[in-house]
Structures are given as structure tokens and as C-alpha cells.
Amino acid sequence: MGRRWRSRRDVARALAVVLILSVGFTACGGATETPPAEPTGSPTTGGEITGAFRGTPQPDRRCDRGRLTIGDLPAMDALRQDALQDATERARQWQEDAKLVALKVECAVLETDIRWAATYASVDAQSYFRGDTGETEPAETDVALLSTLPVEDVRFADLHAWLLDADPAFRDDSELSPVSGVAIRLNTAASPFGPPDAPRGAVYFHVGVIQDGITQDLFVSASTGTVYRYGA
């Protein structure tokens, strides 16, 4: 009887040891963990979620590096009317007889935005007025001799196409000189604008296209697209 009891007691001890070892193995990672209910990635941390920004419009890249490009030109037609309307209202508050005589489109300093630098002249004040800054400057010539700049039929999209045709090296990403921006003026005897061979009485775009580190100075007829250069 003593030997049989000892055998049963030994068996019980052996079973207890096996049970303890089994529980310990499971706690140390022997079993498979339950997968997370949701993916842990996010647009911020760069996880595995894809397509989070699908359909989001791309940001406006105009003046992204402080300079306009040829590819930026077509979009300006949709912005011009509101920009000139605001500038004209400010100019008429300055002087009721203010008339638009010049327009320059450029990148604003330290901003990723376009500046519409519209210049107005007043016969009564014999001065010029900047529609974007409100600055005034006395006129050195008779303002009465200056003609109002007609911009109704001027299209930046046309300038875009004409520049791409003017030189096979010009591309949409070709930069325009920040010095000249895109200037628009009438070429008249009282206010010459362009090379000597550019016909008078016409409106011209003036741009400087930077190509291989060299700026090509161009005057483009706003009605025909003919390109004129100094020294050509």
C-alpha cells in the first residue's frame, strides 16, 4: 500500500509540473496574438493607408520660388479683371480722372502670390499712382499726352503660346526675369516702349525669358504676337 500511494503521489506531482510549464509557455508568447482591429498607419505618420489624399487639388504653384514661369501665364486671364477693378477703384479715390497707363505683373516680395502693379496717371494732379501700393510720383512729362492703356483684348494665354513658338528652347518651366516681370504698355511717341522697329500705336508685352543663365529681352505685340528685340 505504501508503494502504490507513493506512485499516485508521484503521478500527481508530475501532472502539476506539466500544467505549470504549459501555462508559462503560453504567457511567454507561445500562442499567436490577436491582430489589431484597424490599421495603425495614418497620413501623418506615413503608415500603410493608401489613397488618403486622392482627389485633393494640388496647391497653386505660381511664384513658388519667387519667379513667374511661362507656364503661369494662361491662368492670369481669369485673375486680371478682379485685380484691375480693385486697383481702378483705389485710383479713382485718389483722383477721379485717373487713367490706366501701364501694367506690370510680378511676384510679390517674400510672398507666393502675384502682384498686379497697375500705374495710373492724373492730368489734374500731374502725377502717377500705383494701384497696388498707393504710392504717388510727380510726372516729369505732360500726362495729357499719355493714352489710356487698352487691356480688354490683351490675353496672357496668347503670350504663352507666342513665347513657346518664339524659341524651341522655351518651355512652360522657363522662368521670367523678376526685374521685368510681365510689363504691358502702349508704344507711342510720347511714351516709347520697345525697340525702334516696333510699330507705334500698338500694345506690347515686355518679358525677359531666362534660358541657360542668359536673359532674352523680348517685346511681343499683344495683337499679332510678333517678337521684337533690341539689336536684332
Side-chain angles (χ1 to χ4, degrees):
M1 290 293 296
R3 179 179 300 177
R4 182 177 301 175
W5 170 252
R6 285 195 300 271
S7 297
R8 290 179 178 177
R9 185 170 54 187
D10 292 341
V11 171
R13 288 178 178 175
L15 290 175
V17 171
V18 170
L19 180 60
I20 293 173
L21 290 177
S22 176
V23 172
F25 177 76
T26 301
C28 291
T32 303
E33 295 181 357
T34 303
E38 298 180 0
T40 57
S42 69
T44 302
T45 59
E48 297 300 324
I49 296 178
T50 60
F53 297 99
R54 183 174 300 171
T56 302
Q58 294 297 316
D60 191 345
R61 306 293 292 182
R62 288 191 300 270
C63 293
D64 184 51
R65 295 191 299 168
R67 290 184 179 179
L68 292 171
T69 66
I70 291 179
D72 293 332
L73 294 172
M76 294 182 187
D77 287 322
L79 306 173
R80 179 186 57 185
Q81 182 175 355
D82 290 341
L84 286 182
Q85 182 176 349
D86 292 342
T88 301
E89 289 177 357
R90 288 192 291 270
R92 295 286 166 77
Q93 292 174 1
W94 167 65
Q95 292 289 333
E96 291 184 359
D97 70 329
K99 58 183 177 181
L100 178 67
V101 295
L103 177 62
K104 183 178 180 182
V105 184
E106 58 190 354
C107 290
V109 179
L110 302 179
E111 296 180 18
T112 56
D113 199 3
I114 293 177
R115 170 179 289 171
W116 296 81
T119 300
Y120 296 81
S122 166
V123 175
D124 292 342
Q126 278 296 302
S127 300
Y128 297 107
F129 175 83
R130 278 283 298 264
D132 58 322
T133 64
E135 296 174 320
T136 60
E137 180 182 352
E140 297 180 356
T141 58
D142 187 359
V143 173
L145 299 176
L146 301 178
S147 300
T148 299
L149 176 64
V151 294
E152 294 79 9
D153 296 328
V154 174
R155 298 286 181 269
F156 289 93
D158 290 339
L159 176 61
H160 170 262
W162 291 331
L163 288 177
L164 293 181
D165 289 341
D167 192 317
F170 291 171
R171 304 180 304 273
D172 276 339
D173 60 355
S174 296
E175 293 184 348
L176 304 180
S177 169
V179 176
S180 57
V182 182
I184 306 172
R185 280 176 50 189
L186 263 170
N187 180 21
T188 64
S191 181
F193 187 65
D197 59 336
R200 296 287 174 85
V203 178
Y204 293 90
F205 293 102
H206 175 220
V207 296
V209 182
I210 302 174
Q211 192 67 33
D212 298 327
I214 299 175
T215 300
Q216 298 192 38
D217 202 38
L218 309 176
F219 289 82
V220 185
S221 170
S223 58
T224 66
T226 306
V227 178
Y228 298 90
R229 310 168 189 248
Y230 279 102

